[in-house]
Amino acid sequence: MEASTASAKKKTSLARAVFSGSLGNMLEWFDYGLYGYFATIISRDFFVSDDPIVGLLLSFLVFGTGFLVRPIGGILIGMYADKHGRIKALTLTILCMGVCTFCMGLLPTYSQVGIVAPILLTVLRLLQGLATGGEFGSSLTFIAEYGTPNNRAFLVSWQPFSVGCGLLLGSAAGLLVTTILPEAALYDWGWRVPFACGILIAVYGVHMRKNVPDSPEFLKMKERESKADEPHAPVKDLFLRYKKPIVTVVGLLVGSSATYYLLITYMPTYISEFMDTSLSSAFVVNTSVIAIYLLLCPVMGMLIDRIGRRKCLIVGCLGFLLLSYPVFSVLVQQTNAAVMIALLGILIVFQTILAVAIAVVSAEVFPTKLRNSGVGFSYNLAAAIFGGLAPLAATALIAATGDQLSITYLILGAILITFLTSIFLLKGFYSKER
């Protein structure tokens, strides 16, 4: 009876740790999703241009600036987490993200304060980028350190699941306000309401994280350090001794980051702007695709634990390389939402494989003492270059070529790099794959 009670308590503690570790990601992607979904409205409110495509490009440029500082946040907050604990870092990042998201919903427009409006928007995006850079690495590290080699991918799968939850929540909020509000009200104040609600997630997240202990692996590492009395310099050690893991994680994330932002965050804009479909229909498609992603995350986690990290990565890459162009060739000819959902759902299967496999690999290739710094820097460097700028690059490429299918050229080029990294660089880490 006592053994059964202890086992139940352990499972409850594990579930609570995974949930609290994932909550910040949900807030992070709730905000990122909202910005991508309302990019068309934001471009009109904060940037003045006779050409709507130019305004949209400027809007995505500001979106991308938040990603440019993410590696800095990953290093600074990662260093803090490697020294003082994952939970302390996670509490700091979720509070910062919540306040910035709330403030974004209160910003004045260009017509009200002129050039100050886009400047304030950019400042908030930069602050969010710093916090997000620390949040993602700390969250992934915290959850991974509660796992074992046999269940780690399943546990880590709840981290990208929480990302999908944030995007789904943002997409659902976008669908709600675009459905119930007249267009004039939506453009005037309606789009601000979901941003302002972000503070509620932050307050709840801070409360949750204050009541969860740090990961067992981190606590054991700190105990060994205190006995050895050795100086700990995670950033210095990271760049001197762990160049290959950094290059490997970045290489893996080139494709996954680009496809993620293009298939999920960018799709409402792509469908509504370049496929002559209403914004509300685009939200229906996007919300449904994210729901598919959520359902697949834990399933793929169990599959990756069973089959192996590297094998699943290769399968995910091959799926994109073979099917991206055919899927988009049919997609751009559609107006039926159900058909669009089915087509994008095909690619989402491979996206989920990549997201979960890369997340667990990122945690496993770095040692505990600098895992947070290594994951934070590598993940955010790739996200900054290949993820955050992907919507901007896609919009610019389509505008320059006039070809809706040019988005697939970005996908194929990025996935090819991930494919080659999986075959060659990753082999040394998983020569005897679990």
Side-chain angles (χ1 to χ4, degrees):
M1 184 70 174
E2 289 182 1
S4 176
T5 303
S7 176
K9 286 183 178 179
K10 184 177 180 181
K11 288 181 179 178
T12 301
S13 175
L14 180 61
R16 187 179 179 86
V18 172
F19 178 71
S20 63
S22 302
L23 201 58
N25 285 296
M26 186 171 74
L27 173 60
E28 169 194 343
W29 294 100
F30 173 73
D31 168 75
Y32 274 75
L34 285 177
Y35 192 102
Y37 304 147
F38 289 114
T40 303
I41 298 176
I42 290 172
S43 67
R44 297 178 186 181
D45 276 356
F46 292 90
F47 305 98
V48 176
S49 174
D50 295 331
D51 187 345
I53 296 298
V54 172
L56 193 60
L57 284 169
L58 290 172
S59 180
F60 279 125
L61 182 61
V62 172
F63 179 76
T65 60
F67 285 81
L68 295 178
V69 297
R70 279 181 61 165
I72 300 173
I75 281 289
L76 294 179
I77 298 175
M79 181 172 60
Y80 177 79
D82 280 333
K83 285 188 174 183
H84 302 290
R86 318 315 192 194
I87 284 293
K88 288 183 178 179
L90 287 168
T91 302
L92 174 66
T93 55
I94 196 171
L95 185 60
C96 182
M97 287 190 300
V99 171
C100 289
T101 303
F102 175 75
C103 290
M104 195 169 290
L106 305 179
L107 285 178
T109 64
Y110 190 95
S111 63
Q112 293 172 324
V113 295
I115 193 65
V116 175
I119 291 174
L120 290 174
L121 179 65
T122 304
V123 169
L124 286 177
R125 291 296 302 155
L126 291 172
L127 291 174
Q128 282 178 323
L130 287 171
T132 300
E135 169 68 30
F136 196 91
S138 300
S139 170
L140 177 57
T141 298
F142 178 72
I143 295 172
E145 289 177 348
Y146 266 89
T148 67
N150 295 323
N151 73 351
R152 187 173 290 125
F154 174 69
L155 291 184
V156 166
S157 72
W158 294 101
Q159 204 252 13
F161 177 90
S162 68
V163 172
C165 281
L167 288 170
L168 181 63
L169 191 60
S171 187
L175 177 61
L176 180 65
V177 296
T178 54
T179 301
I180 67 175
L181 292 177
E183 187 173 301
L186 175 67
Y187 277 73
D188 185 28
W189 57 267
W191 67 271
R192 298 175 179 274
V193 175
F195 283 95
C197 290
I199 194 69
L200 301 177
I201 303 174
V203 171
Y204 180 66
V206 169
H207 170 72
M208 278 291 298
R209 287 176 171 179
K210 280 187 175 180
N211 296 290
V212 175
D214 227 316
S215 73
E217 196 170 329
F218 174 79
L219 294 175
K220 289 178 183 177
M221 184 269 290
K222 293 303 290 183
E223 185 179 355
R224 289 195 301 269
E225 274 191 351
S226 63
K227 291 179 180 179
D229 195 27
E230 294 178 357
H232 182 33
V235 175
K236 182 180 178 181
D237 290 347
L238 178 67
F239 291 112
L240 285 179
R241 300 173 56 192
Y242 294 92
K243 297 183 184 70
K244 184 178 178 181
I246 292 174
V247 173
T248 300
V249 173
V250 171
L252 292 175
L253 281 161
V254 170
S256 179
S257 295
T259 53
Y260 191 90
Y261 286 95
L262 291 176
L263 290 178
I264 296 180
T265 303
Y266 186 62
M267 272 302 106
T269 300
Y270 181 80
I271 292 171
S272 62
E273 289 291 319
F274 302 114
M275 291 177 57
D276 196 27
T277 304
S278 69
L279 186 59
S280 60
S281 295
F283 275 125
V284 169
V285 173
N286 202 66
T287 303
S288 302
V289 168
I290 296 170
I292 295 171
Y293 176 81
L294 290 178
L295 293 172
L296 289 173
C297 276
V299 175
M300 293 306 175
M302 290 186 285
L303 186 69
I304 291 164
D305 276 327
R306 187 177 183 84
I307 296 177
R309 285 57 161 146
R310 186 165 170 263
K311 292 176 184 176
C312 287
L313 281 169
I314 292 171
V315 169
C317 290
L318 287 174
F320 271 111
L321 291 172
L322 295 174
L323 297 175
S324 294
Y325 193 87
V327 164
F328 271 90
S329 296
V330 179
L331 180 71
V332 296
Q333 301 175 38
Q334 300 300 317
T335 55
N336 185 288
V339 176
M340 286 190 272
I341 292 166
L343 288 167
L344 290 171
I346 295 170
L347 296 182
I348 284 298
V349 171
F350 302 108
Q351 178 61 46
T352 312
I353 294 173
L354 293 182
V356 177
I358 293 172
V360 71
V361 165
S362 300
E364 289 179 338
V365 297
F366 292 105
T368 305
K369 66 178 182 179
L370 47 74
R371 180 173 291 126
N372 215 136
S373 302
V375 172
F377 175 75
S378 305
Y379 230 103
N380 288 298
L381 181 63
I385 299 172
F386 304 103
L389 296 179
L392 174 67
T395 303
L397 190 59
I398 294 170
T401 62
D403 182 7
Q404 297 160 302
L405 292 178
S406 59
I407 189 174
T408 60
Y409 309 150
L410 290 177
I411 292 174
L412 293 172
I415 286 292
L416 183 60
I417 295 173
T418 298
F419 181 60
L420 294 175
T421 303
S422 301
I423 290 177
F424 297 110
L425 287 182
L426 200 59
K427 188 174 182 181
F429 296 102
Y430 293 98
S431 54
K432 294 181 180 179
E433 202 163 37
R434 299 179 183 89

